[in-house]
Amino acid sequence: MEKSLLIVESPTKVRTIKKYLGGEFEVKASLGHIKDLPTKLLGVDIENQFKPEFQIISGKDKILKELKQAAKKIHHIYLAPDPDREGEAIAWHLAEELAGKDKEFHRVLFHELSPKAIQEALAHPEELNEQRFQSQLARRILDRLVGYQISPLLWDKVKRGLSAGRVQSVAVRLICDREREIQAFVSREYWSITAALQADLPPDFEAKLIKAQGKAVKIANEQQAKTITDRLQQESFQVIHIDKKERKRNPLPPFTTSQLQQESFRKLRFPAKKTMFLAQKLYEGVEVGDEGLVGLITYMRTDSTRVSQEALTAVRHYIQGQFEAEYVPGKPHFYTNKKSAQDAHEAIRPTSMNLSPDNLARFLDKDLLALYRLIWNRFVASQMKAALFDQTTVDIQAGDFLFRASGSVLRFPGFTAVYEVGKDIVSPEEEEEEKKGQLPVLQVHQNLTLLRIIPKQHFTQPPPRYTEATLVKELEEKGIGRPSTYAAIISTIQEKDYVKKEKYFFSPTELGFLVNDLLVKNFPDILDVQFTALMENNLDQIEEGKQEWTKVLGDFYQPFSKDLDRARAEMKQVRGKGVKTDIICPTCGKPMAIRIGKNGPFLACSGYPACKQTQNFVRDEKGIIRPVNAETPQSDPSGKACPQCGKSMVVRNGRFGSFWACSGYPDCKQTQPISPEGQPSEEPSPPVISDQACPKCGGPMVVKKNRFGGTFLACEKYPKCKSTLPVATEFPCPTPGCSGMLVSRVARKKGLKFLGCSRYPKCKTMIWGKPVKETCPQCQAPFLVEKTTKKEGTVWSCANKECGYQQKQERD
C-alpha cells in the first residue's frame, strides 16, 4: 500500500499521533512556520497590491530539505498544522514549497489528539482554505506595515530599540489611560452605619442603614454619623417586612481561550503566557504511564462554547456516576456564543472522561495538574444543575430610619459541588460586602434588641489597575486582538519596558507614558480602541469571504500613510532633548526635562550642553514629579526611622540610582531600596545561606547581588574571607563529554546575564537565554533554551548547537 505523508507543527504531536496510526503514514513536523516576511526589510510591495515577499526562515532550510525528501515519492500529502489562521498559513506555505505535478494536498484539522478524532479527521480531509489564509496574510501585513514604519520613527525621535505594534500599543494605551484615571481621582469621605441586633433566637445579626425619612441615606462626615448614631440609640427596632425567595445560580460554559486565561490567573495566579504554554502541552500530549503520550484536552485556541454530542453524553454519564441523579439536568446545557466568536473549534474540554485529574496526578507535574483540574472541573460543572439558594431580605424600622439585613442559605449545591467561579482581586471592603450572614428566624412586627451601633468611615476608591485577568477581559470585551494573541501581547509590552507589574497589577513606566503620548497624538486611528476592534472585524470578514484582503489593506493604508508622513515631519523630538517639566534646574534656572537613558529615565537640564545638571526623580500617587537631590538629601516624608539606630532616613543618589540611607552616616551605614512612590521598601530579608561551604575557610556561603543585578555566592565571613563562587544551576553543560554544570555569570562590559560552564576556562560554553526543563525531542538533550526575537517571538531551541531543534511557543 502506498504511504502518505502527514505534516504537523511540533515533534510532540508527531510522537502522539504516531501511536494511533499504522504504517500507512509517515509523520513529520515543520516546527512552526517555514516562511515569513524578511527580517531587515519591509517585505511588502505597497504599490503592487501589497504583495508580500516571503522567504524561508533562517535555520529552517534543513527542516524543509527533510520534508522535501520525505515527500519526494509520495502522492498524498496531509497538512495538519494547528486548526487556526496561523496553522492555515503554515499549511499554505508547505503546499507551495512541496508542490509538484504528482502531488495532492489535503488539509487536516485535529481539534483533539485522541484516536477517534485523528482517524475521523484523516478520513474527512478538507481543501486548503484560501480565505482563512488571506485573513492571516492581511493580519501579518497590517502588523508589518505598522511595526516596521512606526518603530523607526520611535528610534529616531525617542530611543533606539523601541517598537510599536498595531495591537500591543493599544494595550499600553489602556494601561496608561487607567493610570491617569487613578492619578486624577479625588477620594471622597463617606460613612456607613450598621446595627448589631438580637432576636428571640440566635444568631445575632447585622443590618445596614439604607434610608432616612424615606430617602437614600448619605453620610458625608463623622459629625453627621455621630448625630444619627445618637438618635438611633433612642429608637426601638422592629421588623416591618420579610421577603423570601428562591435564587438560582446557573453554571458557566466550558472554557474559551480568554476565559481560561482569566480564570487561570484568578485561581492559580498563572500569567497568560504560562497558561497557554501548559495548555499547549496538555493538547499535544503528556506521558501517561504505559499509554505513552496522550492528548488530554481539545484545541486550546478557541472562542466557541460549543461541545460535541459525544462529549455531552460522556460528561452526563460521568456526573450520574459520581453524584446523585438529581445533579444531572433533564437536557444538556447549550451555551450561546458571542456574536464575534469563530465556531470552528469546540470549547476547551478534556478529550476523555476516563482521564480524571485524580487518575493522572502521578503523571503530571504540579502546574500541569492544576490547569488540567481547572479545565476538567469547569467542563463537568457546565453540565450540572443550577445551585439553589434561599434568599431572605429583612427590612427593619427604627423611627425615621430604615435598615436592611440579607442572608442566603444554600439549599442545593448543584454545580458548586464541583466548581466555584474565581473572582478578580477586590478591596477588603468589597470582599466584606459580598459576604451574606445567616439570619435567625424572624416575624413581621417582631421587636429586636439593639446591641450596638457601628459607624464606619470609608473613602471612595479609584478604579483598580489592570491585572492579567482584567486586562484580558478588557481586550476581549473591546474586540482588541484575538484570544490566541493575548498572552503574546502581555508578554511583549512588559519585555519592551512599557509597563511593569507589581503584586499582580500593571502600571506604565515613564517610557510607556512617553511612547504612548507620542503615538496617540500622531497616530490617533492606530491607537483608537474602536478602530482596532473594527480592523479585527474586517479580518474576520475576510475569513468569511465577505471582504477582499487587498481592499481592507488599501482602506487602512491610505489614511495611515498620511499620518506617517505628518509624524515624520511633526512628531516631537525627544531623543537628545527630553520632555520638559515644571521642575526648575537648580544650577541655571531653566526647565528640567525627562530624558530616557540606558539605565532608565532621569531629569536633565534643558540647557544641555551648556548646563549638565541631572537628577533622579520619583512620581507620587498623583503622578507629580518629585526630584531626588543628591547634594541636599531630603528627610523621609513618612517619618520612618532607621531600623538600626533610629535616626531619620534620607534620599541619596548612587551611580545606579537613588536609595534611602541613614542620616547618621558614616556612623550608621544602613541603606534600603527606594520604591516607585519614594518610600523605603520593606526591610531586606536576611541573607540566604546556600548548602555550599567556603572552599577557603569552610564557612557558610551566602547569596549576594552584584552591581549588575546578578547573583553570586560569597563567604559569610567577608571581609575576613573574600572567597566567592558563581551560583550553580540544576542544568548540566550541554557540550558533549563535559561534566560541568551551568552557573550564573554576568558579562563585565555590558552587565548582561548568561549561563556559563563551571569548568571555565577549560570549557567555554555560554548560554544566552533562559533554560527550560524540557527534554529536546530530537536529540534528547536535558533542557531547551528560551529566547525572544523580533522575528518569531518566543522560541525554544536546543542547547546543543549540532541539533538545531526549534519550536515557536507564542504567536503574535
Side-chain angles (χ1 to χ4, degrees):
M1 189 178 193
E2 183 189 353
K3 264 194 173 186
S4 297
L5 175 63
L6 174 65
I7 303 176
V8 295
E9 282 191 50
S10 79
T12 307
K13 273 191 192 177
V14 171
R15 292 161 61 201
T16 304
I17 291 169
K18 273 185 175 180
K19 284 180 25 181
Y20 307 129
L21 298 180
E24 54 191 281
F25 280 94
E26 184 174 358
V27 188
K28 293 285 186 179
S30 70
L31 300 179
H33 284 274
I34 60 165
K35 295 171 75 172
D36 198 2
L37 297 172
T39 307
K40 297 182 179 180
L41 301 171
L42 181 64
V44 179
D45 189 346
I46 297 170
E47 303 300 325
N48 187 19
Q49 291 286 293
F50 301 97
K51 183 180 178 182
E53 301 168 11
F54 285 108
Q55 62 183 30
I56 304 301
I57 295 171
S58 176
K60 289 297 182 78
D61 303 77
K62 181 180 177 182
I63 294 165
L64 187 57
K65 184 178 179 181
E66 291 176 0
L67 292 176
K68 286 181 176 180
Q69 185 64 33
K72 197 170 185 180
K73 296 181 180 180
I74 290 180
H75 177 63
H76 291 283
I77 300 174
Y78 291 78
L79 303 173
D82 286 348
D84 57 16
R85 289 173 183 167
E86 294 293 323
E88 201 66 39
I90 295 171
W92 199 272
H93 290 149
L94 284 169
E96 287 177 345
E97 292 300 317
L98 302 180
K101 291 182 180 179
D102 58 342
K103 307 298 180 190
E104 189 172 335
F105 294 96
H106 312 275
R107 181 71 167 109
V108 181
L109 304 177
F110 293 142
H111 299 292
E112 61 181 90
L113 299 185
S114 62
K116 184 176 180 181
I118 291 171
Q119 295 292 350
E120 184 74 17
L122 289 170
H124 300 92
E126 302 178 0
E127 297 290 328
L128 285 168
N129 190 318
E130 185 173 8
Q131 293 169 353
R132 188 178 297 146
F133 168 64
Q134 289 175 348
S135 178
Q136 189 277 342
L137 181 63
R139 177 188 293 278
R140 186 74 187 93
I141 293 174
L142 273 173
D143 292 343
R144 175 57 65 100
L145 292 174
V146 173
Y148 269 51
Q149 295 189 85
I150 296 182
S151 296
L153 262 177
L154 295 178
W155 302 346
D156 179 53
K157 303 289 186 178
V158 184
K159 180 185 175 184
R160 292 288 300 179
L162 299 182
S163 71
R166 186 179 60 86
V167 179
Q168 76 177 44
S169 296
V170 180
V172 173
R173 179 178 186 174
L174 291 175
I175 295 170
C176 289
D177 288 350
R178 176 59 57 87
E179 192 68 20
R180 287 200 163 112
E181 282 183 67
I182 295 169
Q183 291 172 354
F185 184 83
V186 178
S187 186
R188 181 177 54 82
E189 179 186 11
Y190 70 98
W191 287 69
S192 65
I193 292 179
T194 305
L197 301 167
Q198 186 178 68
D200 297 336
L201 297 172
D204 298 342
F205 66 101
E206 292 183 352
K208 188 174 181 180
L209 176 63
I210 60 168
K211 286 185 179 181
Q213 297 178 339
K215 297 180 180 179
V217 67
K218 293 181 179 178
I219 309 172
N221 52 53
E222 185 177 10
Q223 182 57 48
Q224 291 180 13
K226 186 177 185 307
T227 301
I228 294 173
T229 300
D230 291 343
R231 285 182 58 187
L232 286 170
Q233 297 287 359
Q234 313 302 319
E235 302 290 353
S236 58
F237 287 72
Q238 186 182 73
V239 177
I240 61 169
H241 180 72
I242 299 175
D243 181 28
K244 292 182 179 180
K245 59 183 177 182
E246 179 183 273
R247 187 167 64 88
K248 182 186 289 187
R249 208 165 103 211
N250 292 314
L252 291 175
F255 283 127
T256 60
T257 302
S258 63
Q259 288 294 326
L260 176 62
Q261 291 172 354
Q262 292 173 55
E263 198 74 345
S264 176
F265 175 80
R266 292 180 187 127
K267 288 199 159 190
L268 306 176
R269 290 292 181 258
F270 288 172
K273 184 177 180 180
K274 179 176 181 176
T275 296
M276 294 308 292
F277 164 67
L278 294 173
Q280 181 97 29
K281 290 187 72 173
L282 292 171
Y283 164 69
E284 293 187 347
V286 177
E287 291 283 352
V288 180
D290 296 336
E291 293 186 48
L293 280 169
V294 177
L296 298 180
I297 64 170
T298 53
Y299 190 58
M300 66 286 159
R301 293 187 178 97
T302 177
D303 51 8
S304 172
T305 58
R306 178 176 58 83
V307 174
S308 69
Q309 187 59 51
E310 182 183 3
L312 287 176
T313 302
V315 71
R316 285 168 63 83
H317 180 74
Y318 173 84
I319 295 167
Q320 195 154 4
Q322 294 293 317
F323 302 89
E324 298 173 11
E326 61 180 331
Y327 282 82
V328 186
K331 295 180 180 179
H333 294 310
F334 293 97
Y335 298 93
T336 304
N337 283 330
K338 291 185 177 180
K339 187 177 180 180
S340 61
Q342 305 290 303
D343 198 39
H345 321 297
E346 289 186 56
I348 303 171
R349 61 166 177 83
T351 55
S352 171
M353 296 311 296
N354 296 321
L355 298 170
S356 72
D358 290 340
N359 291 338
L360 296 178
R362 67 183 188 276
F363 303 116
L364 305 180
D365 65 35
K366 180 183 174 183
D367 290 344
L368 268 179
L369 179 62
L371 189 66
Y372 183 61
R373 193 181 296 279
L374 189 69
I375 294 168
W376 176 279
N377 289 347
R378 174 78 165 232
F379 177 58
V380 172
S382 72
Q383 290 301 321
M384 295 176 73
K385 277 189 175 179
L388 300 178
F389 297 83
D390 285 333
Q391 180 79 42
T392 303
T393 303
V394 180
D395 286 350
I396 300 159
Q397 192 77 42
D400 292 335
F401 300 97
L402 180 67
F403 285 78
R404 179 165 291 167
S406 61
S408 61
V409 177
L410 181 64
R411 187 157 59 84
F412 174 66
F415 77 95
T416 63
V418 174
Y419 189 85
E420 278 287 356
V421 181
K423 296 178 180 177
D424 292 320
I425 298 172
V426 296
S427 67
E429 288 185 355
E430 290 175 308
E431 197 170 343
E432 185 179 331
E433 189 68 24
E434 290 177 357
K435 295 178 181 177
K436 301 290 185 181
Q438 189 174 355
L439 298 176
V441 177
L442 297 169
Q443 302 292 331
V444 176
H445 305 309
Q446 181 177 354
N447 291 322
L448 304 171
T449 302
L450 176 65
L451 299 176
R452 61 189 177 278
I453 297 292
I454 310 165
K456 190 172 183 181
Q457 184 186 41
H458 307 270
F459 292 93
T460 54
Q461 297 297 312
R465 291 187 174 98
Y466 289 110
T467 64
E468 291 233 1
T470 55
L471 183 58
V472 166
K473 183 179 180 180
E474 187 81 354
L475 291 171
E476 182 182 35
E477 288 180 350
K478 292 187 179 299
I480 301 168
R482 300 296 299 171
S484 59
T485 67
Y486 294 156
I489 291 168
I490 292 171
S491 177
T492 299
I493 62 178
Q494 291 179 86
E495 289 167 2
K496 296 297 180 184
D497 196 33
Y498 292 151
V499 303
K500 58 187 176 183
K501 185 165 66 172
E502 295 177 353
K503 293 185 178 179
Y504 308 122
F505 294 98
F506 290 116
S507 60
T509 62
E510 287 294 331
L511 181 62
F513 267 134
L514 177 59
V515 171
N516 175 72
D517 291 348
L518 288 173
L519 294 182
V520 169
K521 183 176 181 180
N522 292 277
F523 297 95
D525 285 344
I526 297 295
L527 271 289
D528 182 72
V529 171
Q530 291 184 343
F531 179 84
T532 306
L534 178 63
M535 288 306 304
E536 292 297 334
N537 183 61
N538 289 339
L539 293 171
D540 291 341
Q541 290 195 338
I542 293 171
E543 184 170 351
E544 295 165 10
K546 297 177 181 177
Q547 287 218 53
E548 289 289 331
W549 70 277
T550 51
K551 183 179 185 305
V552 170
L553 290 174
D555 291 345
F556 163 81
Y557 195 74
Q558 188 175 6
F560 173 66
S561 62
K562 292 179 181 178
D563 287 344
L564 201 60
D565 290 339
R566 185 171 58 252
R568 287 175 180 139
E570 300 177 5
M571 183 183 280
K572 188 173 184 178
Q573 182 70 39
V574 175
R575 189 176 182 182
K577 294 184 178 180
V579 178
K580 287 185 180 180
T581 70
D582 295 331
I583 308 298
I584 302 301
C585 175
T587 302
C588 71
K590 290 185 178 180
M592 300 289 280
I594 297 175
R595 295 180 62 176
I596 307 295
K598 63 179 181 180
N599 295 320
F602 63 98
L603 289 174
C605 182
S606 58
Y608 179 87
C611 178
K612 298 180 180 180
Q613 174 70 26
T614 63
Q615 287 178 292
N616 285 329
F617 70 94
V618 293
R619 286 187 185 268
D620 63 18
E621 67 277 2
K622 294 296 182 183
I624 299 171
I625 296 173
R626 304 294 185 192
V628 178
N629 194 324
E631 285 74 21
T632 312
Q634 301 168 344
S635 296
D636 175 9
S638 70
K640 183 177 176 69
C642 171
Q644 290 284 359
C645 69
K647 292 184 179 179
S648 61
M649 301 289 282
V650 294
V651 178
R652 292 194 183 276
N653 265 2
R655 60 184 299 193
F656 299 107
S658 54
F659 61 95
W660 288 95
C662 179
S663 59
Y665 180 87
D667 295 330
C668 178
K669 298 180 180 180
Q670 176 70 19
T671 62
Q672 291 180 337
I674 192 166
S675 74
E677 293 76 27
Q679 298 299 317
S681 299
E682 295 297 319
E683 280 78 5
S685 55
V688 178
I689 300 176
S690 74
D691 56 2
Q692 288 185 259
C694 175
K696 289 185 178 179
C697 69
M701 301 289 281
V702 297
V703 179
K704 297 276 189 179
K705 278 194 174 183
N706 60 28
R707 63 181 184 174
F708 300 112
T711 55
F712 65 97
L713 298 179
C715 183
E716 191 184 42
K717 296 179 181 179
Y718 179 87
K720 290 183 179 179
C721 177
K722 297 182 179 180
S723 177
T724 62
L725 290 172
V727 176
T729 69
E730 58 183 313
F731 300 100
C733 177
T735 302
C738 181
S739 60
M741 298 294 290
L742 292 181
V743 296
S744 297
R745 296 192 185 279
V746 178
R748 288 187 179 181
K749 288 187 177 180
K750 295 186 178 180
L752 299 176
K753 299 176 184 178
F754 68 97
L755 297 178
C757 182
S758 60
R759 296 182 68 244
Y760 179 85
K762 291 183 178 179
C763 176
K764 297 183 179 180
T765 296
M766 293 186 293
I767 303 294
W768 296 90
K770 176 184 174 183
V772 181
K773 209 171 182 179
E774 286 289 327
T775 302
C776 176
Q778 285 187 184
C779 72
Q780 304 305 306
F783 68 94
L784 300 174
V785 179
E786 180 179 290
K787 292 183 180 179
T788 301
T789 64
K790 293 181 181 178
K791 180 169 61 177
E792 290 195 1
T794 300
V795 176
W796 283 8
S797 57
C798 185
N800 182 356
K801 294 180 181 179
E802 297 178 2
C803 173
Y805 168 75
Q806 282 189 334
Q807 182 181 0
K808 189 175 179 182
Q809 294 303 309
E810 291 288 347
R811 294 190 173 96
D812 293 328

